[in-house]
Amino acid sequence: MPVRRWKPLSLLVATVVGVVVTLQLTTSATAATPLTVTQAIAQQGTASATVRGYVVGQPTATTTVIRSNFPNDYALALADSAAETNTSKILYVQITTGFRAQYGLQSNPGLMGKQLDVTGKLAAYFSHPGLTSPTAFAQVTGTPPSSTTTTTPPTTTTSSPPTDSYYQNALGKTGPALRAALHQIISNNTKVSYDQVWDALKATDQDPANPNNVILVYSGRSQSKSSNGGGVNDWNREHVWAKSHGDFGTATGPGTDLHHLRPEDVSVNSDRGNKDFDMGGSPVSEAPGSYTDADSFEPRNAVKGDVARMIFYMALRYDGGDGFADLDVDDTVNNGSAPYIGKVSVLKQWSQQDPPDAFEKRRNQVIYDTYQHNRNPFIDHPEWVAALWG
């Protein structure tokens, strides 16, 4: 009978350790592999990740990707194939300021068809599966040039719009039918008094980094919730749709609608006054990035889209049927006491260049859940701005 030779204990331990090390190395290599676009779409809201895909255009709305004549450097679209046109298979990627010069499509149209690795948060963008708050972009070497740069592709690609119960009666409609359906949906709301607005704004505009503060809309400053009032450096209730434009004052209804009321520094509120919105002017000292002149006000870049969507909400919600003026947007300034605010061409541009962010989406949800029980449809569906105002 052969003699069985036992391995020394130290050799067995070394063998086991070697297996563990091998497994750890394998796991690390697997974790470092970029996700495909299909995987990134399936894993929305889970974590940060690196995604690899081909640049197929620039998203401009929930179901729209343009493939030429790019309006800005703020976003790009990735797909697993350079020829993909179905937006349900496309990932929308936010491009933040530091990456725009190198990866924005207006500045770099030659990126079309190139393969990129992008690291960021797997979160919705333009109310569509996306990658936001990017921390790294890198072009994958050896990717072939895009054939789309030498052909004339379609200007837009669309897929079926997202469905949800709140907008059920509006989905699939266009033109006047869409406007009428949305007006009816958002007009079914609870109203708050002007005094109640104080406490409401402390909830809707709470600083995500400091629950004791609110964020001032034009100034961008985080300020104590308790410092509201009419004194110097207090914050008060800014009517983004100036209340004289339609002469509704602070009456319950348009004068107290939280979807356009925001906290703002008293003096900045005065600087804005009842001016229309447009580009240019002199810097506003207490609102960095904001400008004003004799007849218009330009808010800082981070809230340009917020302002536009508040204005479009008001024009849709108040059509004269509540005993108030029929509010609307036009393409002029100096509207005075007329029930109009401009300029619509600039507001449309702002809505596109500054899509809804987490702060604006949370605000919309708080108003819906706690106060008015209605929503701003242009935050949930930014594409409806173009659908209603061209």
Side-chain angles (χ1 to χ4, degrees):
M1 182 175 180
V3 176
R4 181 171 296 175
R5 298 182 182 276
W6 298 96
K7 293 183 180 180
L9 180 59
S10 60
L11 182 59
L12 288 173
V13 172
T15 302
V16 172
V17 170
V19 172
V20 173
V21 170
T22 302
L23 288 174
Q24 287 176 333
L25 290 174
T26 303
T27 302
S28 298
T30 301
T33 303
L35 298 180
T36 66
V37 168
T38 300
Q39 290 171 330
I41 290 172
Q43 296 180 34
Q44 288 289 289
T46 55
S48 295
T50 299
V51 181
R52 177 170 294 179
Y54 292 93
V55 179
V56 295
Q58 179 177 3
T60 58
T62 302
T63 58
T64 303
V65 173
I66 61 173
R67 300 171 66 85
S68 59
N69 300 318
F70 305 113
N72 53 53
D73 289 326
Y74 299 121
L76 59 78
L78 293 180
D80 288 326
S81 165
E84 185 61 70
T85 59
N86 184 345
T87 55
S88 68
K89 298 180 180 180
I90 293 175
L91 189 75
Y92 290 5
V93 178
Q94 180 185 28
I95 307 177
T96 48
T97 304
F99 297 106
R100 289 172 185 167
Q102 189 173 0
Y103 292 99
L105 286 175
Q106 185 181 63
S107 300
N108 307 278
L111 284 174
M112 284 291 290
K114 299 297 178 68
Q115 196 175 33
L116 299 182
D117 283 350
V118 186
T119 303
K121 183 179 179 181
L122 295 172
Y125 190 49
F126 281 96
S127 301
H128 181 95
L131 191 72
T132 62
S133 304
T135 57
F137 282 76
Q139 185 170 329
V140 180
T141 58
T143 56
S146 169
S147 61
T148 58
T149 59
T150 58
T151 61
T152 305
T155 57
T156 62
T157 57
T158 60
S159 63
S160 298
T163 58
D164 57 77
S165 58
Y166 185 74
Y167 297 110
Q168 182 177 353
N169 293 335
L171 296 174
K173 295 180 179 178
T174 59
L178 174 61
R179 183 184 294 271
L182 288 175
H183 170 75
Q184 183 174 13
I185 291 168
I186 66 175
S187 296
N188 182 22
N189 69 283
T190 301
K191 296 179 176 64
V192 297
S193 72
Y194 199 47
D195 283 340
Q196 290 172 324
V197 168
W198 286 119
D199 287 334
L201 293 182
K202 294 175 183 179
T204 60
D205 292 72
Q206 178 174 292
D207 183 350
N210 184 347
N212 296 314
N213 286 11
V214 292
I215 300 292
L216 308 187
V217 59
Y218 306 135
S219 305
R221 187 171 73 238
S222 178
Q223 185 159 323
S224 171
K225 290 179 178 179
S226 63
S227 65
N228 60 300
V232 176
N233 293 325
D234 283 347
W235 64 265
N236 60 5
R237 298 160 290 187
E238 156 69 349
H239 290 78
V240 176
W241 185 295
K243 54 185 181 288
S244 64
H245 289 239
D247 196 29
F248 52 73
T250 59
T252 300
T256 64
D257 196 310
L258 295 172
H259 282 295
H260 85 115
L261 282 160
R262 301 291 292 266
E264 185 48 76
D265 179 89
V266 169
S267 59
V268 176
N269 194 340
S270 178
D271 288 339
R272 188 271 161 126
N274 69 344
K275 297 172 184 175
D276 293 271
F277 293 102
D278 197 3
M279 301 290 288
S282 301
V284 179
S285 60
E286 292 190 73
S290 298
Y291 301 86
T292 190
D293 56 24
D295 55 23
S296 69
F297 189 89
E298 177 188 350
R300 60 193 175 98
N301 289 341
V303 296
K304 279 183 165 68
D306 306 50
V307 166
R309 286 179 286 274
M310 286 186 276
I311 293 299
F312 289 126
Y313 164 87
M314 291 291 285
L316 178 66
R317 170 63 182 86
Y318 297 99
D319 67 351
D322 289 8
F324 297 103
D326 182 1
L327 306 184
D328 207 351
V329 288
D330 62 11
D331 210 32
T332 65
V333 293
N334 279 325
N335 279 297
S337 60
Y340 303 108
I341 277 187
K343 301 173 56 173
V344 65
S345 58
V346 173
L347 293 167
K348 288 192 296 181
Q349 177 185 336
W350 290 353
S351 181
Q352 187 176 84
Q353 78 178 56
D354 174 35
D357 59 16
F359 186 92
E360 189 179 2
K361 291 176 181 177
R362 177 193 172 276
R363 188 177 198 279
N364 195 29
Q365 192 66 40
V366 172
I367 293 172
Y368 176 74
D369 288 340
T370 308
Y371 297 100
Q372 295 183 182
H373 310 299
N374 72 339
R375 306 181 68 86
N376 182 333
F378 305 110
I379 297 174
D380 297 320
H381 291 266
E383 72 278 9
W384 280 340
V385 171
L388 297 185
W389 278 278

